[in-house]
């Protein structure tokens, strides 16, 4: 008998034990309970021992940046390479993320629109202006003396690094996670949860302790990744409230005060928890439509009334520079010589502040965005998924950076801003810029745009927090997307708010950043294994097809497909 004929059908059933009846009805308690305990410990530690937690987190962060910075850089480069392989590999590219002949649920326009929404989000409102401006002041080229900060010869460098952090590398993290979830759930019939992506490596052992640990790691990473997003959002939301005349929410350093943090989180998490309790019905779709309309208005304002030609150049010249430099930027690791203030020390420090932080953020956020991408991509081919998830959202991010950030840089260089934008806090830069542009024309118009940004920010924050709670509960329930008991929704809504509040109060957004970089580390290992498992599964499927062995759960005798989700919930 030939080797081809020896290959067996793929695993199509993973019997994860869930509780029947009682408080944890439908949940895998071996995942839900440990995840709740770990997050509760983080909350209590940050709130009741803020000084100690800040010191310990900073010490751990220093070790991670010293030991694991290269791991973060190289593992994300690996994800990009895997995505390119899957898109170019003919046998892999044509495989359907569903049953054979299954068609996509959403047309291309709707699919791209939903990815656009996932790609822009809260972070874009902060960083579309703040990041190009920050790199315009300092980046590796200025540290090495190859360019001068805040001058025209540094603009291209600013965009090269901005595009790196929000471009193909970021979306490769999401694509790997989303592709794995879609492949093993919709082709194999396995539960829509992280552990299913490792079945080619560990098989049915994932129904037990090993699988529980993997899902717990995913839940903790997701909470910390979303906490990072909400942390930036809270700072910006408070800055916006201050701009529209609500005082007393800022501290002397220009950040959100404790009272501001508490008020912002009560509003954001209160609305998101109510939305989650409603079962993501009409309310969340209404909010999503508002997101899209307000985003188009705001971006259109920057393109038409901002630095139109500057943004055009930043978009296309920056994209060219980024693609040419991408291979080198993706694998280069700056090593510190331990001498504080030296060029090597400053380069390594900069890389820890920017690329390493971002790669940890995207990895921690991958279960959240990846699960969303999987749910909207059933029925598409792997090639469609990879190219769509990698290119379209990245290009939308580039458009925002080019015209929103480009307008800010142009105003500082040529428009007489004189540091008004540059010196503002990151979350406040977009408000400072629109106020500088509009106040001389009309105070009412300036106030109106500030209010528009605040409303847009609030809708993004509410939808992000709401979706995070539902996704965490889906993982805790062994991939079941059905309705969850209210106490669990309330717990995760409160836990997310308290993680953000505790870490912001104990050390500001840097404390959340540190916790997230630490929490993402174990999940980065899980994701690397998911990428290897996906390559192995696709290779074996090509062998099965040649041998006439079925590759989807509906064609395998005895397969139940009991992990197949019931479809995309209304959101």
């Amino acid at each position: 008998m030939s080797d081809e004929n020896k290959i067996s059908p793929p695993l199509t059933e993973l019997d994860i034990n869930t509780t029947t009846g009682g408080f944890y009805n439908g949940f895998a308690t071996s995942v839900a309970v440990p995840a709740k305990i770990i997050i509760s410990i983080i909350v209590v530690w940050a709130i009741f021992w803020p000084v100690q937690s800040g010191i310990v987190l900073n010490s751990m962060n220093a070790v991670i940046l010293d030991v694991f910075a290269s791991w973060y850089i190289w593992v994300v480069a690996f994800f990009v390479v895997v995505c390119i392989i899957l898109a170019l590999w003919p046998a892999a590219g044509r495989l359907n993320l569903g049953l054979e002949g299954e068609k996509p649920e959403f047309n291309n326009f709707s699919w791209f629109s939903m990815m656009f929404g996932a790609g822009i989000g809260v972070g874009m409102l902060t960083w579309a202006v703040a990041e190009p401006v920050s790199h315009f002041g300092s980046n590796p080229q200025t540290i090495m003396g190859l360019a001068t900060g805040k001058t025209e010869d540094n603009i291209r460098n600013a965009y090269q690094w901005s595009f790196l952090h929000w471009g193909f590398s970021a979306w490769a993290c999401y694509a790997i996670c989303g592709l794995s979830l879609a492949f093993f759930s919709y082709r194999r019939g396995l539960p829509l949860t992280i552990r299913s992506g490792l079945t080619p490596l560990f098989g049915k052992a994932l129904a037990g302790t090993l699988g529980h640990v993997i899902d717990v790691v995913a839940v903790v990473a997701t909470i910390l990744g979303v906490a990072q997003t909400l942390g930036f959002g809270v700072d910006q939301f408070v800055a916006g409230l201050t701009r529209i005349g609500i005082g007393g929410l800022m501290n002397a350093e220009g950040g959100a005060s404790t009272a501001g943090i508490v008020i912002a989180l009560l509003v954001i998490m209160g609305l998101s928890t109510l939305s989650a309790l409603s079962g993501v019905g009409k309310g969340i779709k209404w909010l999503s439509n508002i997101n899209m309309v307000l985003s188009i208005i705001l971006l259109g304002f920057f393109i038409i009334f901002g630095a139109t030609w500057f943004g055009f150049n930043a978009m296309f010249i920056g994209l060219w520079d980024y693609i040419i430099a991408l291979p080198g930027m993706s694998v280069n690791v700056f090593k510190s010589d331990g001498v504080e203030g030296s060029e090597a020390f400053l380069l390594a420090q900069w890389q820890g502040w920017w690329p390493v932080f971002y790669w940890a953020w995207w990895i921690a956020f991958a279960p959240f965005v990846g699960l969303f991408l999987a749910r909207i991509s059933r029925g598409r081919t792997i090639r469609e998924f990879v190219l769509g998830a990698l290119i379209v959202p990245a290009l939308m991010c580039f458009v925002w950076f080019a015209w929103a950030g480009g307008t800010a840089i142009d105003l500082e260089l040529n428009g007489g801003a004189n540091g008004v934008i540059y010196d503002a806090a990151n979350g406040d830069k977009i408000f400072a810029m629109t106020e500088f542009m509009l106040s001389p024309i009309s105070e009412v118009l300036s106030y109106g745009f500030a209010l528009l940004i605040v409303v847009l920010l609030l809708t993004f924050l509410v939808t992000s927090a709401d979706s995070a709670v539902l996704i965490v509960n889906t993982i805790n329930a062994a991939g079941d997307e059905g309705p969850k008991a209210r106490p669990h929704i309330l717990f995760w809504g409160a836990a997310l708010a308290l993680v953000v509040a505790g870490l912001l109060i104990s050390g500001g957004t840097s404390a959340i950043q540190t916790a997230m970089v630490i929490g993402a580390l174990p999940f980065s290992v899980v994701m690397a294994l998911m990428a290897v498992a996906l390559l192995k599964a696709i290779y074996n499927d090509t062998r099965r097809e040649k041998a006439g062995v079925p590759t989807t759960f509906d064609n395998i005798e005895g397969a139940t497909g009991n992990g197949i989700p019931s479809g995309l919930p209304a959101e």
Side-chain angles (χ1 to χ4, degrees), residues 413-478:
L413 272 178
N414 309 308
N418 294 323
V420 169
I421 304 166
Y422 194 88
D423 295 336
N426 285 331
D428 196 34
K429 279 183 168 61
I430 192 169
F431 294 105
M433 180 174 72
T434 53
E435 184 176 292
F436 178 80
M437 292 171 68
L438 295 171
S439 288
I441 301 170
S442 167
E443 289 290 341
V444 174
L445 193 59
S446 174
Y447 180 90
F449 260 87
L451 184 61
L452 181 149
I453 296 169
V454 168
V455 172
L456 178 58
L457 180 63
L458 180 60
T459 58
F460 272 135
L461 288 166
V462 170
T463 51
S464 295
D466 163 56
S467 300
V469 169
L470 293 170
I471 284 169
V472 164
N473 271 323
T474 297
I475 297 173
N476 285 337

Side-chain angles (χ1 to χ4, degrees), residues 33-392:
V33 174
K36 287 181 177 180
I37 290 172
I38 292 170
I39 294 300
S40 298
I41 289 171
I42 292 173
V43 168
V44 171
W45 186 43
I47 290 177
F48 291 100
W49 291 278
V51 176
Q52 182 198 53
S53 61
I55 293 171
V56 172
L57 284 173
N58 286 333
S59 299
M60 292 177 68
N61 190 47
V63 172
I64 285 179
L65 292 181
D66 185 49
V67 178
F68 294 104
S70 55
W71 163 256
Y72 273 120
I73 298 296
W74 292 335
V75 79
V76 171
F78 171 63
F79 296 153
V80 175
V81 171
V82 170
C83 286
I84 293 171
I85 290 171
L86 292 174
L88 298 179
W89 183 7
R94 61 181 170 78
L95 288 178
N96 192 315
L97 295 173
L99 307 181
E100 293 305 325
E102 189 170 355
K103 298 300 181 183
E105 182 178 356
F106 304 99
N107 62 36
N108 285 338
F109 178 79
S110 297
W111 187 51
F112 290 144
S113 295
M114 285 187 281
M115 284 195 293
F116 166 83
I120 300 304
V122 178
M124 193 56 52
L125 286 178
T126 300
W127 295 109
V129 175
E131 183 151 351
V133 170
S134 295
H135 297 328
F136 179 55
S138 176
N139 57 58
Q141 282 84 354
T142 64
I143 293 171
M144 292 185 286
L146 303 176
T148 305
K150 303 182 186 180
T151 61
E152 287 191 16
D153 73 336
N154 197 36
I155 295 172
R156 293 175 70 166
N157 298 324
Y159 275 93
Q160 181 178 297
W161 290 104
S162 297
F163 286 2
L164 172 70
H165 299 148
W166 291 80
F168 305 138
S169 301
W171 284 91
C173 297
Y174 300 153
I176 290 294
C177 196
L179 187 56
S180 177
L181 286 164
F183 185 91
F184 291 103
S185 292
Y186 303 141
R187 283 185 66 86
R188 298 284 197 260
L190 295 171
L192 188 65
T193 188
I194 302 301
R195 72 178 80 187
S196 296
L198 300 182
T199 48
L201 301 180
F202 302 108
K204 291 187 176 181
L206 290 166
T209 303
L210 176 61
H212 301 331
V213 170
I214 288 166
D215 281 349
V216 168
V217 165
V219 169
V220 172
T222 300
I223 290 295
L224 292 175
V226 175
Q228 179 69 70
T229 300
L230 293 179
F232 285 138
V234 164
D235 257 8
Q236 190 168 33
F237 186 61
V238 169
L241 292 177
T242 302
R243 289 278 178 178
I244 61 175
I246 302 175
L249 302 179
M250 305 286 282
N251 57 30
E253 290 76 36
S257 65
T258 300
I261 292 168
V262 170
I263 291 170
L265 284 171
L266 283 174
V267 172
I268 294 161
M269 296 311 301
L271 291 173
S272 64
T273 303
L274 286 174
S275 176
L277 287 170
S278 72
V280 283
K282 294 181 180 178
I284 203 70
K285 288 198 290 186
W286 183 67
L287 284 174
S288 298
N289 290 336
I290 291 177
N291 285 351
M292 184 64 72
V293 172
L294 295 183
S295 295
I296 291 170
I297 291 171
L298 187 60
L299 181 59
F301 168 74
F302 291 133
I303 291 175
I304 297 170
F305 299 104
T308 306
W309 182 245
F310 187 104
F312 183 86
N313 284 326
M315 176 69 188
F316 292 99
I317 295 174
L319 185 58
W320 171 259
D321 288 345
Y322 160 65
I323 291 173
I324 295 299
L326 181 59
M329 291 192 297
S330 296
V331 297
N332 184 43
V333 177
F334 295 117
K335 290 289 186 181
S336 174
D337 58 6
V339 180
E340 190 166 348
S342 69
E343 181 179 296
F345 178 89
L346 293 174
L347 287 170
Q349 185 182 59
W350 188 93
Q351 190 168 54
W353 285 346
W354 291 98
V356 172
F357 156 66
Y358 270 123
W359 294 171
W361 191 6
W362 305 147
I363 288 168
F365 219 49
F368 171 73
V369 179
L371 199 148
F372 174 77
L373 291 180
R375 293 190 314 188
I376 66 173
S377 302
R378 182 172 181 173
R380 294 193 176 272
T381 65
I382 287 178
R383 183 173 294 111
E384 279 182 298
F385 180 95
V386 171
L387 294 179
L390 225 62
I391 295 173
V392 175

